[in-house]
Amino acid sequence: MTSATAPKPTRPSRTRRVIAISLVVIALLVAAFFIFANVYADWLWYSQLGFLNVLTTQWVWRIGMFVVGFLGMAVPTWLVINLAYRLRPVYVRLSSQLDRYQEVVEPLRRLAMWGIPIFFGLFAGFASSAQWQTAALWVNGVHTATGDPQFNLDTGFYLFALPFYSAVLAFASAVVLICLLLTAAVSYLYGSVRVGQRELRISRPARVQLAIIAGVYLLLQAVSLWLDRYKTLTSADDRITGAAYVSVNATIPGLAILSIVAVLVAILFFVTAVIGRWRYPLIATALLIITSLVVGVGYPWIVNLVQVRPNQLSVESQYYQRNIDGTKAGFGLSDLQETNFSANTTAQQGQLRSDAETTAQIRIMDPAIIPPTVAQLEQYRSYYQFQSPLSVDRYTIDGQTQDTLVSVRDLNLNALGTTASTWQNTSLIYTHGYGLVVAKGNARTSDGNPVFLERGIPSAGFLTSGEKYEPRVYFSANAPTYSIVGAPAGTAPIELDYPAGDGSSTETKTTFDGNGGPNIGNVFNRLIYAIKFQAEQILFSDSINQDSQILYDRDPATRVQKIAPYLTLDGEPYPSVVDGRIVWIVDGYTTSDQYPYSTTTSMSQAIADANNPTPRVALDNVNYIRNSVKATVDAYDGHVTLYAWDPTDPLLQAWQNVYPSTVKPIADMSADLISHVRYPTDLFKVQRTMLGVYHVNDPQSFYQRDNAWTTPADPTDNTVLQQPYYMTMQMPGQASPTYSMFTSFIPQSDGTNARNVLMGYLAVDSDAGTTAGTKGADYGKLRMLVINASTPVPGPGQVQNTFSADPAVSSFINLLKQGQSQVLNGNLLTLPVGGGLLYVQPVFVQSSGATKLPTLQKVLVAFGSQVAFEDTLTAALDSLFGGNSGAAAGDNGVTASPVPTGTSTPSATPTPSPSASGGTGSSTAYQAALQEAKQAMLDRQAALQAGDWTKYGEADARLTQAINTLLQLSSQ
């Protein structure tokens, strides 16, 4: 038998090791450079905007909190591991199983003693870093001078201190618990803790260490239980948020008792560390658990069963009142002005004479319907687009305030097509939109189109005639991801400004001359942004020069959010021309869920509507909200300015301490800017959600919920709530009309038994005035009409049903739908005029073909149970109010001419139809055309069933001609 020497293992090649290490180092350097590129790009972006301190403040706080979290976890865990190891018994007989464990662990002991603390420290550091805002608010918190009704503590304690204390206690408890587990594990592994033969033996050093850690943990729980008393004021309790009878008389005292008991148990653990007897602290711990069940669960249950349920209203009344007051304070509803309103439901001649100014501003152009019309009339090129829906604003023209619909003419690079969507086109040539389109909200042309006040390329209108008007739009929600602009003086421009003809030779070019983005004139910055946007063209393009800037993060909301990360932004930024420049006005809110005795609501659900069906907010459940900041973003250079709109807001004051010198005082707002700010939509939606229940002032009504309201569904889309509308109007009790926002309420009910009648009508003064640096005295004033139940007023859903069921209205609309047209019901407005409530709804008609051009054809109005349906609002009001309403609308004097809905020629000499209420159906010619349309419909259906497409086409042509005749007749 022979034996062979085993071959020696081949050592790894030195060259291979060098190459492998080099590749790893290179990969790490590349990854680090990519990270650096994004960090440095942020540095350049914030520096260019002048808000570098926002970025550095976040870095400092995040890094500081990471270090605190890392050390707060790593140091204690390292300490307990080392103590447990160093204090292990040297001479102890271990089991064979522990011997094997030690053999495995011992080679890795040094690595584990450092690695485990670092591992837990990293997790704790990142967790602490994410809580930097909580810590920053605690450090910079302010007093509010308002106390809570239970403990009489400043509400600033709940907004700033309590969340921080809770976070610190949670962190400290986690650290101590991990230390306890690690101590037990190391002590068991090295024999300090031995289990065997129904006996637990613990060495003296291990006993001292375990007992002290357990005692510290119980002390932390004692403090946590004490703080839980204050948390009852911001927690749900039966029907309210805040401490009710059971919480005040059972839960809060119980938590105080448990806190004291926990301190006593902790002391027993400290005593055990000295005397070495575990029986007393273990028995005390069991008693603490039993006490928590009795005091924390059993006693509150008994109090609720015996005292509260049989006498709920009497014992809970004071706490319901606390909740009512706290909720109104949290949502800014304390100054709500309520007026009992007995609505007049009978229409008479001249009834609107005293409301002539309101009726003159009634909006008949629906901003959600006419965007296709605006696009067809004002787009000019496929690479332009308009907002949908349009924004609502107002301007003073020749001394008169005019409600308007506005939209910037924005870029739409998706319309360029694949061939034209080159990098040079999308990044260097198509860089900006052009102009602001402004149309009257209360007027129409004879063919049903908007009446423009500012339009065209190049721009023409009342804005262009002013001084220093800048129409170019580089910053908007639809702007390209990035554009590279700018060049030295004298360089031939390459940016497309606007088309002036059919060929490129007639295009107008321009060069951006503002300060809108970081400079990329040097190779290093070009490399940084080539990496950021993964576009090598930025690095190699010859079109980039030493003065080139890169514009990105161009959505106004994005820019404001990056500069003020503590704000929740309104979902409807809107453009206005302020001092000759197009600016986006963005409303910012400070929110919290820690206001005592204020009911929490879901903000995303409250603000959802057809325009914003799935809103996203950073803090969804809120019980405190303030419109603390108005922000503007210049549409030309992207400059952002923040103004302290509510300087009394404690949250804003705290954040101003965190980010000093980032928010300007309201005194810096120009008169022109003040005239265009408005009460924000999302805030109003949240407030109306709360007012559905909290419009009552006494605990009994609150308890009975016999007068709970809700916002009605949108009459044209029952899946969403009706959105509030802006309009210049005069509420009962107001001296004159003012720019306002309004909504209505119907009874709240479950199931199918809902009554769609008006119970309340809410309006808020949205006009901030025209004085520089001063907010209007009545701005933000909430006025509520509580409608007397003895004179029921139909709700929006009921009125919409009445419109649809009216014979003259339904027959006319059904005929339109049968032809080559679509009928679109506009926004249903509810206005307090004539001593009652007037409903107005424009009706639009558009082709069912590819080209959409909605035009206003009819206006529906209702007052009480009476309905009118005419070509213009003025005619409809006169028809409704006995032939003379006493007021004229914005379309007064317009002679409507219906747009043909098909290719057939309408009747040349139609016979006028009478203009009685809803009156379109009594003239001979009208009846003949109606009969012809009905017969054509029957013939077309018969031909369809028989499969005779020739006869089908003939019948369809007759139907179209009959509908055109009806349109002509109804316009007379």
Side-chain angles (χ1 to χ4, degrees):
M1 183 175 181
T2 60
S3 61
T5 303
K8 293 182 179 180
T10 304
R11 287 189 175 185
S13 169
R14 181 180 180 85
T15 304
R16 289 183 179 178
R17 282 186 294 173
V18 171
I19 293 175
I21 293 173
S22 300
L23 289 176
V24 171
V25 170
I26 291 172
L28 290 175
L29 289 175
V30 170
F33 187 76
F34 271 85
I35 295 172
F36 167 78
N38 281 283
V39 172
Y40 184 62
D42 283 343
W43 178 280
L44 293 175
W45 189 88
Y46 280 95
S47 296
Q48 182 274 324
L49 269 177
F51 287 90
L52 184 59
N53 64 322
V54 173
L55 183 63
T56 55
T57 297
Q58 293 181 48
W59 285 354
V60 169
W61 272 102
R62 287 183 183 276
I63 293 172
M65 291 298 295
F66 177 87
V67 171
V68 169
F70 178 83
L71 295 177
M73 176 66 78
V75 170
T77 53
W78 178 86
L79 184 63
V80 298
I81 291 173
N82 276 270
L83 280 176
Y85 174 75
R86 291 180 181 277
L87 298 176
R88 72 193 185 282
V90 179
Y91 303 104
V92 63
R93 186 175 181 179
L94 302 176
S95 66
S96 59
Q97 187 175 6
L98 283 178
D99 282 335
R100 288 195 298 270
Y101 287 162
Q102 284 192 11
E103 288 177 2
V104 174
V105 171
E106 190 61 28
L108 302 173
R109 178 175 55 80
R110 289 184 179 275
L111 177 63
M113 292 179 72
W114 288 97
I116 290 175
I118 291 174
F119 174 78
F120 283 109
L122 288 174
F123 274 98
F126 287 119
S128 298
S129 178
Q131 294 290 324
W132 74 269
Q133 292 181 318
T134 302
L137 282 178
W138 173 68
V139 172
N140 296 280
V142 299
H143 292 286
T144 65
T146 301
D148 75 82
Q150 178 62 34
F151 301 103
N152 199 30
L153 293 175
D154 189 272
T155 54
F157 169 78
Y158 299 92
L159 294 174
F160 308 119
L162 187 57
F164 175 74
Y165 295 154
S166 299
V168 169
L169 282 170
F171 178 83
S173 297
V175 171
V176 173
L177 187 59
I178 290 173
C179 288
L180 184 64
L181 295 174
L182 289 174
T183 299
V186 175
S187 298
Y188 176 74
L189 183 63
Y190 286 97
S192 297
V193 176
R194 286 176 287 169
V195 181
Q197 299 179 352
R198 299 182 180 179
E199 186 178 18
L200 174 65
R201 294 184 178 181
I202 305 175
S203 67
R204 184 176 182 278
R207 182 195 71 214
V208 172
Q209 187 172 343
L210 288 170
I212 290 176
I213 294 175
V216 171
Y217 183 78
L218 282 167
L219 284 180
L220 290 173
Q221 301 317 301
V223 178
S224 180
L225 288 167
W226 189 262
L227 286 182
D228 285 344
R229 298 161 58 248
Y230 305 113
K231 291 182 181 179
T232 58
L233 271 61
T234 58
S235 304
D237 188 341
D238 191 23
R239 300 168 65 94
I240 65 171
T241 293
Y245 184 87
V246 172
S247 293
V248 170
N249 294 280
T251 304
I252 292 176
L255 289 170
I257 293 171
L258 287 174
S259 178
I260 295 171
V261 172
V263 171
L264 296 176
V265 176
I267 293 174
L268 288 177
F269 272 101
F270 295 142
V271 171
T272 296
V274 177
I275 66 175
R277 295 188 180 184
W278 289 97
R279 179 180 303 173
Y280 301 121
L282 293 178
I283 293 175
T285 301
L287 291 175
L288 174 62
I289 295 173
I290 294 172
T291 304
S292 67
L293 293 175
V294 173
V295 176
V297 179
Y299 182 58
W301 180 79
I302 293 173
V303 170
N304 183 55
L305 181 68
V306 175
Q307 291 185 270
V308 176
R309 287 189 181 180
N311 314 286
Q312 190 164 11
L313 179 58
S314 59
V315 300
E316 298 276 33
S317 289
Q318 63 172 314
Y319 306 108
Y320 291 161
Q321 190 64 55
R322 290 181 181 182
N323 179 240
I324 293 171
D325 296 340
T327 300
K328 289 186 175 182
F331 290 94
L333 302 172
S334 300
D335 295 329
L336 174 69
Q337 177 182 309
E338 295 187 27
T339 303
N340 291 323
F341 187 69
S342 297
N344 186 354
T345 57
T346 304
Q348 299 176 351
Q349 284 192 357
Q351 196 164 336
L352 302 183
R353 188 167 288 112
S354 60
D355 296 294
E357 292 184 73
T358 296
T359 57
Q361 290 285 5
I362 295 177
R363 190 175 71 223
I364 55 177
M365 285 291 155
D366 189 334
I369 289 181
I370 68 168
T373 304
V374 174
Q376 288 294 326
L377 299 176
E378 290 296 314
Q379 187 166 312
Y380 291 97
R381 291 292 189 273
S382 61
Y383 49 78
Y384 286 128
Q385 62 178 325
F386 293 91
Q387 297 168 243
S388 184
L390 304 178
S391 295
V392 180
D393 201 356
R394 73 278 190 203
Y395 287 89
T396 300
I397 304 173
D398 297 329
Q400 298 293 322
T401 300
Q402 174 65 57
D403 289 0
T404 58
L405 306 180
V406 301
S407 173
V408 296
R409 185 181 287 103
D410 216 344
L411 280 179
N412 180 16
L413 295 186
N414 294 327
L416 287 177
T418 305
T419 304
S421 295
T422 63
W423 178 85
Q424 193 165 7
N425 270 343
T426 58
S427 302
L428 302 176
I429 296 176
Y430 294 93
T431 60
H432 62 280
Y434 189 91
L436 184 76
V437 172
V438 183
K440 291 184 177 182
N442 62 339
R444 53 163 291 175
T445 63
S446 60
D447 53 3
N449 289 327
V451 175
F452 291 101
L453 298 169
E454 179 77 19
R455 63 184 304 183
I457 293 181
S459 296
F462 77 104
L463 296 174
T464 307
S465 61
E467 297 181 359
K468 299 180 181 179
Y469 174 57
E470 175 53 72
R472 295 165 185 85
V473 180
Y474 283 87
F475 291 83
S476 66
N478 297 308
T481 304
Y482 67 91
S483 293
I484 298 173
V485 298
T491 305
I494 62 172
E495 297 178 54
L496 174 64
D497 199 18
Y498 56 83
D502 296 331
S504 60
S505 61
T506 57
E507 291 177 343
T508 301
K509 304 284 188 176
T510 189
T511 298
F512 179 81
D513 63 356
N515 180 20
N519 181 276
I520 56 170
N522 60 71
V523 175
F524 184 74
N525 284 4
R526 290 171 70 170
L527 175 60
I528 291 296
Y529 282 102
I531 292 173
K532 179 177 178 63
F533 293 109
Q534 300 181 19
E536 70 281 357
Q537 298 93 336
I538 296 176
L539 189 60
F540 301 116
S541 175
D542 293 334
S543 299
I544 300 177
N545 55 75
Q546 69 270 21
D547 289 340
S548 291
Q549 305 171 39
I550 184 166
L551 314 181
Y552 64 100
D553 285 338
R554 301 162 75 175
D555 182 356
T558 300
R559 296 178 78 79
V560 174
Q561 192 70 83
K562 289 183 69 172
I563 287 170
Y566 54 89
L567 293 177
T568 297
L569 302 184
D570 191 89
E572 296 185 16
Y574 58 99
S576 289
V577 174
V578 176
D579 300 319
R581 298 179 73 90
I582 300 174
V583 299
W584 295 92
I585 299 177
V586 186
D587 286 286
Y589 309 114
T590 47
T591 59
S592 176
D593 59 355
Q594 296 296 313
Y595 197 83
Y597 274 108
S598 178
T599 294
T600 301
T601 189
S602 169
M603 187 171 179
S604 60
Q605 293 182 12
I607 65 178
D609 59 20
N611 298 332
N612 191 14
T614 55
R616 295 181 180 180
V617 292
L619 179 64
D620 189 20
N621 294 318
V622 301
N623 66 2
Y624 175 92
I625 184 171
R626 291 292 186 272
N627 177 209
S628 52
V629 172
K630 299 283 187 183
T632 62
V633 180
D634 192 292
Y636 183 76
D637 63 16
H639 180 70
V640 180
T641 308
L642 307 177
Y643 297 99
W645 189 248
D646 185 0
T648 64
D649 173 37
L651 282 173
L652 178 61
Q653 293 173 3
W655 283 116
Q656 284 183 293
N657 293 335
V658 176
Y659 298 112
S661 304
T662 57
V663 182
K664 294 184 177 182
I666 192 175
D668 288 356
M669 298 181 72
S670 69
D672 205 6
L673 176 57
I674 289 280
S675 70
H676 285 285
V677 300
R678 66 190 190 190
Y679 200 80
T681 308
D682 287 351
L683 175 59
F684 190 67
K685 291 178 185 177
V686 172
Q687 289 177 323
R688 75 175 180 180
T689 298
M690 302 313 299
L691 282 173
V693 173
Y694 289 92
H695 63 276
V696 300
N697 296 309
D698 63 283
Q700 183 170 347
S701 296
F702 175 82
Y703 173 75
Q704 294 175 182
R705 294 290 173 95
D706 58 343
N707 193 25
W709 300 344
T710 188
T711 305
D714 191 315
T716 62
D717 183 0
N718 290 326
T719 62
V720 295
L721 298 179
Q722 188 178 36
Q723 59 184 317
Y725 299 113
Y726 291 99
M727 208 188 80
T728 297
M729 54 176 281
Q730 183 174 354
M731 285 283 284
Q734 276 188 291
S736 60
T738 187
Y739 191 66
S740 305
M741 182 166 46
F742 64 88
T743 189
S744 58
F745 295 95
I746 61 174
Q748 185 182 90
S749 59
D750 298 323
T752 58
N753 297 322
R755 293 183 64 235
N756 202 281
V757 295
L758 283 190
M759 300 299 295
Y761 184 89
L762 177 68
V764 61
D765 193 323
S766 300
D767 190 353
T770 57
T771 304
T774 303
K775 189 189 308 184
D778 287 336
Y779 172 86
K781 181 69 176 179
L782 291 162
R783 295 179 174 88
M784 172 82 79
L785 300 182
V786 181
I787 298 173
N788 195 318
S790 62
T791 55
V793 177
Q798 192 177 136
V799 170
Q800 189 69 62
N801 183 70
T802 302
F803 286 159
S804 301
D806 185 270
V809 176
S810 61
S811 62
F812 183 83
I813 291 179
N814 286 335
L815 284 172
L816 287 176
K817 291 179 179 179
Q818 292 296 325
Q820 299 176 16
S821 301
Q822 293 177 334
V823 177
L824 305 174
N825 290 323
N827 41 215
L828 183 59
L829 305 178
T830 311
L831 305 169
V833 295
L837 290 157
L838 172 72
Y839 284 96
V840 177
Q841 183 177 53
V843 178
F844 296 83
V845 177
Q846 72 176 10
S847 169
S848 58
T851 301
K852 305 296 184 183
L853 187 68
T855 57
L856 179 62
Q857 292 296 299
K858 292 286 184 179
V859 179
L860 285 160
V861 294
F863 192 87
S865 60
Q866 298 163 283
V867 175
F869 183 50
E870 298 293 344
D871 295 329
T872 65
L873 177 57
T874 299
L877 293 176
D878 285 341
S879 177
L880 185 66
F881 289 92
N884 181 9
S885 67
D891 61 358
N892 186 40
V894 175
T895 301
S897 57
V899 177
T901 60
T903 57
S904 304
T905 304
S907 176
T909 56
T911 304
S913 62
S915 59
S917 177
T920 56
S922 59
S923 71
T924 304
Y926 188 89
Q927 290 295 334
L930 185 62
Q931 185 61 38
E932 173 60 24
K934 291 179 180 179
Q935 186 60 49
M937 289 169 55
L938 295 173
D939 293 345
R940 191 179 69 163
Q941 184 63 26
L944 178 63
Q945 293 176 351
D948 190 337
W949 299 109
T950 301
K951 290 185 177 179
Y952 179 89
E954 293 174 353
D956 189 66
R958 287 163 41 216
L959 175 61
T960 300
Q961 182 175 357
I963 292 174
N964 287 329
T965 301
L966 288 169
L967 285 169
Q968 289 277 0
L969 291 170
S970 62
S971 66
Q972 302 300 316

